Amino acid sequence: MRILLVEDDDLIGSGVEAGLRQAGFAVDWARDGRKANLALATTAYALVVLDLGLPGMSGTEVLRALRSGGNDVPVLVLTARGTVADRVDGLEAGADDYLGKPFDLIELLARCRALLRRSQGRGAEQIRYRNLAIDPGAQSVLRDEVRVALTAREWAVLLQLITHQGVPQSRARLEESLYGWQEEIESNAIEVHVSNLRKKLGADLIRTVRGIGYVVEKA
Ligand code: CA
């Protein structure tokens, strides 16, 4: 899953970026509001972590522009200006949650996961597919009622394929959801995730569409 981090402070930004990466997320880091705006216009993110105090265009302005454009990606707002008025401003501009600086990285990760669970579970009931039960809200998969452990990236590939049944997904589309701007993509990374998913969930779950990518056929 791909997260946009918007933070102008190098120290905080690099700490949050490293923490999110370690937790298995793909992270794009924008250091000012205009870059954030551009990234949001061109890339689909699962979550945005947004500092409010930014040079040029403020976080609140980024958020208002995002919401007025109809984008409902979950947004976790970070701010050093921890007054009640600032918090209300952020929430009124369309933030889903709020964290005052200084914050603990563990708490930030927990808030991110909670927002992702909420947004992925929104309207998405458990998906039954053959002998699999996939719960987007809880990020869990049962195979023949037995829980299967997936890595964050395997989970992202599975979710992309299972929510587009019958529609082949290109490698580029799958990679986009897994990797940030700076990350080097191993040329066979998607193949490795697909191969692991086949081992864990069933050899015939994901079909290779030659020259295009992969598909989970309609149930
Ligand atoms: Ca700042």
Side-chain angles (χ1 to χ4, degrees):
M1 262 173 290
R2 193 161 180 167
I3 293 182
L4 178 65
L5 166 65
V6 190
E7 171 61 76
D8 61 315
D9 184 296
D10 274 340
L11 200 63
I12 296 174
S14 55
V16 171
E17 183 190 37
L20 289 170
R21 286 231 171 112
Q22 202 157 15
F25 297 108
V27 184
D28 292 340
W29 178 8
R31 290 157 201 260
D32 65 60
R34 292 184 44 181
K35 283 197 188 108
N37 231 2
L38 192 66
L40 286 162
T42 53
T43 309
Y45 291 99
L47 177 80
V48 180
V49 176
L50 178 66
D51 180 31
L52 285 190
L54 296 168
M57 189 177 181
S58 79
T60 313
E61 286 172 299
V62 171
L63 191 51
R64 283 193 205 284
L66 184 69
R67 295 310 189 213
S68 68
N71 190 330
D72 66 350
V73 60
V75 174
L76 172 63
V77 153
L78 304 178
T79 182
R81 305 174 304 174
T83 68
V84 173
D86 283 330
R87 177 180 175 161
V88 169
D89 270 357
L91 293 174
E92 276 188 348
D96 297 275
D97 198 2
Y98 169 98
L99 201 53
K101 293 176 183 173
F103 53 83
D104 194 300
L105 193 55
I106 292 171
E107 176 163 18
L108 175 95
L109 290 172
R111 300 280 191 103
C112 287
R113 288 201 185 92
L115 284 177
L116 287 166
R117 268 199 304 275
R118 223 199 286 165
S119 73
Q120 291 182 351
R122 202 186 286 160
E125 292 302 301
Q126 197 183 66
I127 301 165
R128 282 260 166 201
Y129 187 87
R130 298 183 193 160
N131 61 340
L132 303 177
I134 298 155
D135 187 335
Q139 294 206 4
S140 79
V141 187
L142 304 181
R143 180 185 186 182
D144 297 318
E145 311 308 323
V146 178
R147 189 173 171 153
V148 181
L150 298 183
T151 67
R153 287 183 172 170
E154 289 163 3
W155 170 258
V157 170
L158 175 67
L159 202 63
Q160 180 69 23
L161 291 169
I162 209 87
T163 54
H164 296 82
Q165 288 173 35
V167 183
Q169 300 295 302
S170 68
R171 280 181 187 77
R173 178 68 193 83
L174 293 168
E175 281 168 355
E176 191 184 297
S177 66
L178 298 190
Y179 297 94
W181 293 333
Q182 310 292 332
E183 284 174 277
E184 280 212 21
I185 301 174
E186 298 275 335
S187 61
N188 66 343
I190 297 295
E191 281 85 345
V192 171
H193 297 314
V194 166
S195 154
N196 288 337
L197 285 168
R198 284 175 174 149
K199 272 181 221 149
K200 291 177 178 182
L201 300 176
D204 60 350
L205 172 66
I206 299 168
R207 189 167 68 78
T208 302
V209 184
R210 227 202 294 171
I212 300 179
Y214 299 96
V215 69
V216 166
E217 298 295 358
K218 283 198 164 153

